[in-house]
Amino acid sequence: MQASKRRRSKNIDIENISLKMSLVEPIFELDNNVSFNNNRKKQDILKVAPINGQSTWDSPGVKAYEINNQQHYLLFSEAYFYGEVELTLTGGDDKITLENNWFPRCFSQMILKIGGTEIEGIHSSVGEASTLANLVMSSDVYKRTYGQISGWLPDTGKGDQDVADIDYNAGYYWRMKIYNAKKKFSFMSRLKYLFGFCDDYNKILYLIKIRFEMSLKPDAEISPEIFYGNAATTGKIKFNRIDLHVPYIEPSLEIEEIITKRLLVNKPIDVIFLKRTMNTLSVPTGEKVSWSLGNFTNAIRFVFVC
């Protein structure tokens, strides 16, 4: 009887360990060996131009991208925007430069539709929503590795002031070096820092229509949002192109057969992700305020205030 109890206790311990390990990221599972497979024959990038053309980028309004996916197995969780921009500075002493995370601040709203249905949208304060997501999700390693091309170079040091000194404000210093020296440069912006769907749902999308819309602000609204520095200097940006880049996978014949069989089964595929919403409230100085988060049918997991 005692031996049986000991064996049972040992089995329970093993089960508890297995349950805990199933919740641990693979990099921390020291006893699991690396496995190799040949599921992917090829991986490449699908480049999608706006349906209303690149020539319309100088005018404010909705810029739309569509993927009528008939042949690609898309990994939309890794999608990003890639663009080319020109910076023009007029007057002053050339100490004005772009703000941290400047790209999403150029838009009044961004909407993601899949299968003709809006699954997620940021209908105001796109720049603030993106900045908050970056602050929560990105690391200092990300800033050092991708900060230059993504535009994520936050102010640091003694403050947000126009002092081109790396010891005073390293973020401002590097933005001056990168943007003002070149005037023409490329950038990328990952959708996972905007939409919970792209951050959480890391599975392929196949045979489904995808549409992305973003509304460009007028120049008069963009400049105060994205430039910082000497008040005597004015700045303007011009987008020469912005394409949506979506990685796609060409699977092996065996995997393709498995996917096809699953899609032929008359059973829904669950898509689970944390949907993000953004609300903006003006708070008068010295006054107490309260506000409603809105009506939600699902449980709220996180609330961030900035």
Side-chain angles (χ1 to χ4, degrees):
M1 180 65 70
Q2 291 180 351
S4 175
K5 287 183 177 178
R6 285 197 297 269
R7 285 196 298 272
R8 184 181 178 187
S9 176
K10 184 176 181 180
N11 289 338
I12 292 174
D13 289 341
I14 292 173
E15 290 174 1
N16 288 338
I17 291 173
S18 298
L19 177 60
K20 290 179 181 177
M21 292 303 292
S22 67
L23 302 176
V24 175
E25 294 180 56
I27 59 173
F28 301 117
E29 297 179 2
L30 304 181
D31 292 317
N32 284 3
N33 294 324
V34 177
S35 59
F36 298 91
N37 60 63
N38 296 308
N39 291 341
R40 307 186 188 195
K41 290 171 57 178
K42 176 185 177 182
Q43 183 165 334
D44 208 337
I45 299 292
L46 178 66
K47 299 177 183 179
V48 185
I51 60 176
N52 39 0
Q54 296 283 4
S55 60
T56 65
W57 269 112
D58 283 339
S59 59
V62 175
K63 317 300 177 184
Y65 300 78
E66 284 190 358
I67 304 174
N68 294 305
N69 182 19
Q70 299 298 323
Q71 58 180 333
H72 296 299
Y73 296 88
L74 300 177
L75 194 60
F76 202 75
S77 59
E78 297 297 323
Y80 60 92
F81 281 105
Y82 175 83
E84 298 171 358
V85 68
E86 291 184 40
L87 174 64
T88 303
L89 303 176
T90 305
D93 53 10
D94 202 30
K95 284 191 176 181
I96 193 173
T97 193
L98 291 171
E99 281 276 17
N100 173 52
N101 203 32
W102 60 272
F103 174 67
R105 297 179 184 275
C106 298
F107 302 91
S108 58
Q109 68 175 8
M110 291 187 177
I111 298 172
L112 177 60
K113 299 180 179 179
I114 296 182
T117 301
E118 179 180 327
I119 64 166
E120 210 167 355
I122 304 173
H123 297 277
S124 66
S125 306
V126 178
E128 286 76 5
S130 173
T131 298
L132 181 56
N134 270 280
L135 286 170
V136 174
M137 297 166 55
S138 66
S139 65
D140 193 54
V141 174
Y142 175 82
K143 180 182 71 175
R144 293 197 303 267
T145 307
Y146 300 105
Q148 178 174 340
I149 194 167
S150 69
W152 183 249
L153 292 167
D155 292 303
T156 58
K158 297 181 181 179
D160 178 23
Q161 297 191 30
D162 55 338
V163 179
D165 183 345
I166 191 170
D167 294 323
Y168 193 93
N169 187 337
Y172 176 80
Y173 173 86
W174 285 114
R175 296 198 305 272
M176 286 276 294
K177 291 290 184 181
I178 294 167
Y179 304 134
N180 293 33
K182 295 181 179 179
K183 298 295 193 298
K184 293 183 180 181
F185 54 90
S186 302
F187 70 92
M188 64 172 288
S189 181
R190 298 184 67 181
L191 267 63
K192 67 176 293 183
Y193 293 115
L194 287 164
F195 298 111
F197 176 84
C198 297
D199 188 36
D200 296 330
Y201 193 73
N202 59 345
K203 301 182 185 296
I204 60 165
L205 297 179
Y206 183 56
L207 296 178
I208 191 168
K209 182 178 179 179
I210 301 172
R211 180 182 173 92
F212 185 90
E213 300 174 359
M214 52 187 182
S215 299
L216 183 68
K217 297 177 182 178
D219 284 341
E221 295 182 21
I222 291 177
S223 294
E225 288 278 341
I226 67 170
F227 285 103
Y228 173 81
N230 192 330
T233 308
T234 58
K236 177 180 172 58
I237 60 168
K238 176 186 176 184
F239 291 107
N240 291 329
R241 67 180 303 113
I242 301 181
D243 293 326
L244 177 61
H245 287 196
V246 184
Y248 69 87
I249 298 170
E250 184 179 335
S252 65
L253 293 177
E254 180 183 8
I255 295 299
E256 193 167 12
E257 183 179 354
I258 292 173
I259 296 171
T260 302
K261 286 182 178 179
R262 174 60 185 90
L263 294 177
L264 291 175
V265 175
N266 187 20
K267 178 184 176 182
I269 297 175
D270 292 331
V271 177
I272 300 173
F273 64 98
L274 292 176
K275 186 176 182 179
R276 300 172 186 167
T277 60
M278 180 71 181
N279 295 315
T280 303
L281 178 70
S282 298
V283 180
T285 303
E287 295 186 18
K288 293 183 179 181
V289 296
S290 62
W291 71 94
S292 172
L293 294 177
N295 298 318
F296 298 95
T297 56
N298 298 317
I300 298 175
R301 187 169 184 184
F302 301 109
V303 176
F304 297 102
V305 180
C306 68

